[in-house]
Amino acid sequence: MNLSAAQKEAVEFNGSPTLVVSGAGSGKTTVLTNKIVNLVHNGCNPARILAITFTNKAAEEMKTRLVEMTGLPITRFPWVRTYHSACFRILRKHCTLLGYKNPLQIYDTYQQKKIIKEILLEMNSDKKYVPAVSSHISRAKNTGDPVKYFDRNPRVSLIRLIDVYQMYETYLFSSNAVDFDNILVKTRDLLTEHRDIREDYQSRFQYVLCDEFQDTNPLQAVLTDLFVRNGNLFCVGDDWQSIYRFRGSSLDNFLSFPEKYRDARIFRLEQNYRSADEIVQIANELIGHNTYKMDKKCFSEKHGGVVELHNFSSERQEAEWVGRKLRVLGSMGIPYEKMAVLYRTKFCSLSFEEAFRRLGIPYQMMGSKGFFERKEILDINSYIKSAVFPKDNVSFERVVNTPKRGIGDKTVRKIGDARTENMSLQDAARKVLAERLMSKKLHSSLSHLIQILDDIKNRSPKDAVNEILARSGYLSYLEKYSKSSGTDYISRKENIDELIWLASRKASLIEYLEEVDLVSEDRNEEDEEGGNDKVKLSTIHASKGLEYFVVFIVGCEEDLFPHWRSKKSDAELQEERRLMYVAVTRAEQYLFVSYARFRRGESARKSRFWGEVQVALER
């Protein structure tokens, strides 16, 4: 693959920690991939290269490229993984050193929130606080020091967060499970507390590479250091696109790289291969208003880009104009799938959905529910989790009456009352059956469920799914459910067919569940159903990493973008501007920025970002 002089220099340099500061559209993935190829061609065993990405999709794409470029089979690159996937591979192998047993279970988001809900109810607190409490616990773990975090953020309403956290962690440990964040926390603990394990992996990883380094949080930064030996570290990223502070990412990790690693080399990739230079220069001017950043001068050799500013009396007029403009651009031969409408907050989509339906413009909502979060997928996977992990109360409670088998909440409470110390809900159900404590009808229903779980636990994943469907009557139940809820049975059945295909690729249920729980954290919006040639409606956060020939950035009003909650400090305001920078640099050729003077019936004023683009255009 042909590399520019700047890319080639970064790829070929060795000898000290390296940070590649890459502008939008500058080919950072190309550089990262070619760096691995260069290491392999210079004698490094690919199995000794740890390459960390932030999504499973990115990891799979990188492995595909590496196979094409090196001619080596994909199995030769076992450590091209996300942080969580790499850490779970280590944790799973050594978890007994931390007091766990094998196999170790991963609790998904659904399970986490169900447990926290039960804890809050036990504390006589309202379940409406579950999202806020869950978010705080996640952020606390990702700082690497939860106790210190809770000292700074002690409460949600009257709830003491440290109390919920301690009860939650006790529940996880007693269930022999980790949640997504604990995969990193416990791996950090393992490597910190066990020098021999740490040195073993440091010897194993001859080189460590990290993608999207600007998005690392403090815990991930510590883990990266625990993996690195002899300064063989290569990081790429763009601090101008750091937009995940709300998830706990810390831009300090990126900007402090030269101070942290005194002999570090910094390379800059400044040529944008995506956008026309007219758009790139607008983006440069915009981000120039930020002070907390690394400097670079991005440019493009493409020209002829169109940048326009518009203002409208209302959001309805804004949406109608965008709709008509989409039609015009479509008549010029630009496919709808190459056009996107981006906004800061989800509610902004409503006026565009209404306008596009009136105008007959096909559209696709990005960032909808992830595949593994859909009801039918959660239901089937809960059967499998119940079979493999009998201590998983959340999954067992989900399937005990799905499909309906007469085992309602009252019966579940009765089963729960039969528990003795450390007994799971499923264990209690088995006890109730053994002692014949239920009516004949309920005994038969519960016995049938337990028999299904026992029969599938040693089956292959594909056989297990098919067995669940055949013996539980799930598809008939789903068809009735779909009619009553107004949803599409065919679509749900297609999701199940997709699940069966995924299951067929795994040899064991443990391997299958690991894949499910690690991949479920990705949001692959491009896989949403319904055909391709549709205008994309998306929040700006969900658009990161994507590109479109035409971009509309709408709703550019003060208190909406920048958002009123993000104007409390200069750091938050600078992140909002980085978000605007991300939106601008999604555009290849056409960029339209707009605001409405009235939104939802209330007066609005143009965003400072709209004004900054206006000043840049006038220069």
Side-chain angles (χ1 to χ4, degrees):
M1 183 177 289
N2 292 328
L3 299 176
S4 69
Q7 291 172 333
K8 192 168 185 289
E9 187 181 11
V11 165
E12 294 181 352
F13 174 78
N14 286 304
S16 65
T18 303
L19 179 65
V20 180
V21 183
S22 55
S26 63
K28 69 175 180 59
T29 305
T30 296
V31 167
L32 192 65
T33 309
N34 275 271
K35 179 67 178 181
I36 298 173
V37 173
N38 180 267
L39 290 170
V40 172
H41 286 168
N42 282 288
C44 185
N45 181 346
R48 296 184 64 190
I49 298 172
L50 173 62
I52 300 168
T53 68
F54 269 79
T55 67
N56 291 282
K57 181 183 176 184
E60 291 305 313
E61 287 177 351
M62 185 176 294
K63 282 190 275 193
T64 299
R65 286 199 198 188
L66 289 169
V67 168
E68 292 171 354
M69 294 170 72
T70 64
L72 296 172
I74 201 166
T75 53
R76 294 291 304 278
F77 299 94
W79 290 100
V80 178
R81 292 174 175 261
T82 64
Y83 270 109
H84 292 86
S85 176
C87 287
F88 190 71
R89 187 175 187 189
I90 295 167
L91 185 62
R92 180 184 58 192
K93 184 175 180 180
H94 305 285
C95 66
T96 55
L97 293 172
L98 297 178
Y100 294 99
K101 300 181 182 70
N102 268 312
L104 184 63
Q105 184 179 5
I106 302 171
Y107 272 13
D108 60 22
T109 302
Y110 167 75
Q111 291 166 301
Q112 294 166 31
K113 290 187 175 178
K114 188 82 163 52
I115 295 163
I116 290 172
K117 175 184 170 184
E118 290 173 1
I119 291 170
L120 292 183
L121 292 176
E122 191 178 323
M123 297 171 68
N124 296 316
S125 298
D126 198 313
K127 65 183 181 182
K128 73 180 180 182
Y129 295 114
V130 168
V133 171
S134 299
S135 176
H136 275 294
I137 289 175
S138 178
R139 292 198 67 171
K141 291 181 182 181
N142 283 294
T143 65
D145 190 346
V147 174
K148 185 176 179 181
Y149 177 91
F150 292 131
D151 283 343
R152 296 195 309 268
N153 305 275
R155 295 180 181 275
V156 168
S157 185
L158 299 176
I159 302 163
R160 265 176 43 98
L161 287 168
I162 189 72
D163 294 339
V164 183
Y165 168 74
Q166 289 171 344
M167 292 172 72
Y168 174 65
E169 289 300 295
T170 299
Y171 186 102
L172 284 180
F173 187 75
S174 67
S175 301
N176 200 57
V178 289
D179 65 13
F180 205 62
D181 299 312
N182 267 1
I183 293 173
L184 302 189
V185 172
K186 299 304 180 183
T187 304
R188 186 271 315 269
D189 294 347
L190 176 73
L191 297 176
T192 303
E193 296 168 12
H194 297 272
R195 180 177 174 180
D196 56 330
I197 304 294
R198 179 175 71 251
E199 291 181 348
D200 176 52
Y201 282 98
Q202 287 178 343
S203 297
R204 182 176 311 196
F205 299 141
Q206 191 174 338
Y207 226 99
V208 177
L209 303 95
C210 184
D211 193 12
E212 302 286 6
F213 192 64
Q214 79 280 351
D215 291 333
T216 53
N217 61 43
L219 181 57
Q220 289 163 339
V222 169
L223 280 163
T224 303
D225 286 341
L226 288 170
F227 291 139
V228 174
R229 189 177 192 176
N230 299 326
N232 288 338
L233 176 65
F234 184 90
C235 300
V236 298
D238 183 5
D239 57 305
W240 294 5
Q241 296 188 69
S242 178
I243 59 173
Y244 294 118
R245 190 169 179 267
F246 68 97
R247 289 184 188 168
S249 67
S250 173
L251 190 52
D252 292 347
N253 297 334
F254 190 97
L255 297 182
S256 65
F257 195 95
E259 288 74 43
K260 185 176 183 180
Y261 305 103
R262 293 295 180 181
D263 56 343
R265 278 290 304 272
I266 310 296
F267 295 91
R268 286 175 170 77
L269 304 181
E270 297 173 313
Q271 183 172 354
N272 186 316
Y273 297 96
R274 174 195 303 148
S275 306
D277 195 57
E278 291 82 358
I279 294 171
V280 173
Q281 296 311 318
I282 292 293
N284 285 347
E285 292 278 343
L286 178 77
I287 205 69
H289 291 273
N290 276 6
T291 55
Y292 194 53
K293 66 183 188 302
M294 282 194 182
D295 290 328
K296 52 184 178 286
K297 296 178 181 178
C298 294
F299 68 95
S300 173
E301 294 181 352
K302 295 181 180 180
H303 295 281
V306 174
V307 181
E308 292 181 6
L309 290 167
H310 295 272
N311 68 87
F312 302 96
S313 61
S314 67
E315 73 266 40
R316 183 183 176 91
Q317 187 187 60
E318 179 185 45
E320 289 285 342
W321 181 86
V322 170
R324 291 195 301 272
K325 190 69 175 179
L326 286 166
R327 276 184 167 177
V328 171
L329 293 165
S331 69
M332 295 164 53
I334 303 172
Y336 280 139
E337 65 180 324
K338 297 285 188 182
M339 298 187 256
V341 178
L342 307 181
Y343 36 81
R344 173 63 178 84
T345 308
K346 286 180 180 178
F347 81 78
C348 293
S349 72
L350 182 59
S351 57
F352 295 93
E353 292 179 69
E354 292 172 344
F356 292 179
R357 283 197 294 267
R358 282 196 303 272
L359 295 169
I361 295 171
Y363 67 89
Q364 176 184 355
M365 298 294 299
M366 305 292 279
S368 59
K369 213 173 241 190
F371 179 80
F372 291 104
E373 295 173 312
R374 293 163 182 168
K375 171 188 163 50
E376 58 276 14
I377 305 304
L378 276 171
D379 286 345
I380 292 170
N381 283 337
S382 290
Y383 270 89
I384 296 174
K385 289 179 180 181
S386 296
V388 176
F389 300 110
K391 286 185 176 293
D392 185 348
N393 294 337
V394 174
S395 293
F396 184 73
E397 189 173 343
R398 185 179 182 100
V399 302
V400 75
N401 202 37
T402 304
K404 302 289 184 188
R405 47 176 64 93
I407 306 174
D409 292 343
K410 185 178 178 181
T411 305
V412 172
R413 283 196 296 272
K414 184 177 178 182
I415 294 170
D417 290 341
R419 282 189 285 187
T420 57
E421 191 176 354
N422 295 325
M423 183 179 279
S424 71
L425 191 62
Q426 187 180 149
D427 290 337
R430 292 175 185 274
K431 178 185 176 185
V432 164
L433 288 174
E435 297 177 3
R436 295 196 167 269
L437 300 177
M438 306 179 77
S439 70
K440 187 175 180 180
K441 183 178 179 182
L442 288 176
H443 181 95
S444 175
S445 295
L446 186 58
S447 180
H448 180 65
L449 170 64
I450 295 296
Q451 193 61 54
I452 292 173
L453 300 182
D454 286 344
D455 289 347
I456 67 172
K457 67 182 177 183
N458 294 316
R459 298 286 187 95
S460 70
K462 180 181 178 182
D463 287 349
V465 175
N466 284 323
E467 190 80 359
I468 293 162
L469 296 175
R471 291 173 59 186
S472 70
Y474 186 80
L475 291 178
S476 297
Y477 155 78
L478 189 64
E479 188 168 15
K480 290 175 186 173
Y481 174 88
S482 297
K483 287 177 182 175
S484 64
S485 65
T487 53
D488 186 4
Y489 169 73
I490 293 174
S491 172
R492 293 182 184 274
K493 176 63 169 63
E494 287 173 347
N495 289 337
I496 292 173
D497 291 340
E498 179 73 10
L499 186 73
I500 292 170
W501 177 81
L502 173 66
S504 71
R505 298 168 63 198
K506 299 299 173 184
S508 71
L509 291 179
I510 291 288
E511 185 185 357
Y512 165 77
L513 289 175
E514 181 181 332
E515 172 91 351
V516 165
D517 289 320
L518 289 173
V519 172
S520 65
E521 293 297 319
D522 281 2
R523 300 298 178 91
N524 188 1
E525 290 87 3
E526 290 190 286
D527 289 341
E528 295 299 318
E529 61 217 28
N532 291 323
D533 196 24
K534 298 181 178 183
V535 176
K536 303 300 185 285
L537 287 173
S538 174
T539 64
I540 301 167
H541 280 102
S543 75
K544 187 173 180 291
L546 302 176
E547 55 188 59
Y548 302 97
F549 197 73
V550 179
V551 168
F552 296 82
I553 307 174
V554 300
C556 288
E557 295 125 38
E558 281 294 306
D559 296 330
L560 181 55
F561 192 23
H563 196 276
W564 63 270
R565 286 184 301 185
S566 301
K567 293 165 64 177
K568 296 174 183 176
S569 69
D570 187 55
E572 291 175 321
L573 182 59
Q574 292 199 39
E575 174 142 334
E576 288 287 292
R577 188 173 283 107
R578 292 194 294 271
L579 192 58
M580 182 67 175
Y581 174 84
V582 166
V584 169
T585 54
R586 298 313 92 201
E588 295 180 34
Q589 197 69 21
Y590 291 88
L591 174 65
F592 303 98
V593 184
S594 63
Y595 77 92
R597 295 186 295 278
F598 284 86
R599 189 169 298 274
R600 297 198 291 192
E602 295 184 5
S603 177
R605 54 198 172 94
K606 68 183 179 186
S607 163
R608 69 191 71 193
F609 302 152
W610 194 97
E612 289 165 8
V613 172
Q614 182 181 38
V615 170
L617 278 173
E618 290 171 352
R619 286 187 178 172

